[in-house]
Amino acid sequence: MIKDKQKTEPGVVDLADARVRLQRARSRSGASREELAAELEEVRSLLDHGLSTEVKTRLTPLISAARQFPSLLAQARCVLSAALEMQGRYRESLEAVQMYELPEARAKLDEEATACLRVQIGLAYNYTGDHPKAIALLNAALREATEHG
């Protein structure tokens, strides 16, 4: 009962949970793509529940470990961008995905990562106030999605 209360109070850290996450992060450097993808799905679930601070904490080591998997790295950066957006950190949200704005930067990525990036970059420009650019990017993403099914 006390443990449940601690998780709901902001600023309270469960040390046992923190140790588990640290150990998981340390062992992740040699993690397989499947393990990293499973971790990313867990993190997405946290984001769906509005736990953006926890998402950011768990994404930092995941992003470092995913460097050898370009599409997974791109998807993790999309989730990071969405988490920062939820916190009202719009400029940082854009910076998390802006490196993928040019088509050449997305050339080696799978369709899912490319679609995620294009939409998130458009949303990030919207939240930073560049509405014409946001509309253009989102229209291009929609056009590409309908053309390629």
Side-chain angles (χ1 to χ4, degrees):
M1 185 169 167
I2 292 173
K3 190 172 185 174
D4 290 338
K5 186 176 180 184
Q6 287 178 342
K7 288 189 179 234
T8 61
E9 292 180 23
V12 175
V13 176
D14 179 353
L15 292 179
D17 185 50
R19 284 186 194 102
V20 169
R21 284 193 318 233
L22 181 61
Q23 186 177 18
R24 189 185 299 166
R26 286 180 181 158
S27 67
R28 203 176 284 133
S29 60
S32 70
R33 186 188 192 298
E34 292 75 24
E35 291 169 326
L36 294 171
E39 174 72 8
L40 183 58
E41 284 308 309
E42 285 181 33
V43 171
R44 280 186 178 135
S45 177
L46 293 171
L47 187 64
D48 290 344
H49 288 92
L51 302 171
S52 60
T53 303
E54 176 71 12
V55 166
K56 189 173 179 303
T57 300
R58 288 183 59 178
L59 277 175
T60 302
L62 189 129
I63 287 172
S64 295
R67 297 210 185 277
Q68 57 188 327
F69 307 107
S71 290
L72 191 63
L73 175 61
Q75 289 177 10
R77 288 181 93 44
C78 272
V79 174
L80 174 61
S81 178
L84 292 166
E85 180 183 298
M86 287 176 75
Q87 295 175 350
R89 297 163 63 183
Y90 303 124
R91 176 62 46 199
E92 290 174 73
S93 172
L94 176 59
E95 290 169 357
V97 290
Q98 196 169 24
M99 75 266 308
Y100 296 105
E101 189 171 347
L102 295 175
E104 301 82 44
R106 298 185 307 267
K108 295 180 180 179
L109 304 179
D110 61 32
E111 288 181 25
E112 183 181 349
T114 298
C116 176
L117 283 167
R118 293 187 77 179
V119 170
Q120 190 58 41
I121 292 168
L123 291 173
Y125 274 112
N126 175 59
Y127 283 113
T128 56
D130 193 342
H131 304 294
K133 190 165 192 169
I135 291 168
L137 289 168
L138 291 169
N139 279 335
L142 178 61
R143 191 171 34 258
E144 184 176 305
T146 55
E147 288 174 2
H148 295 104

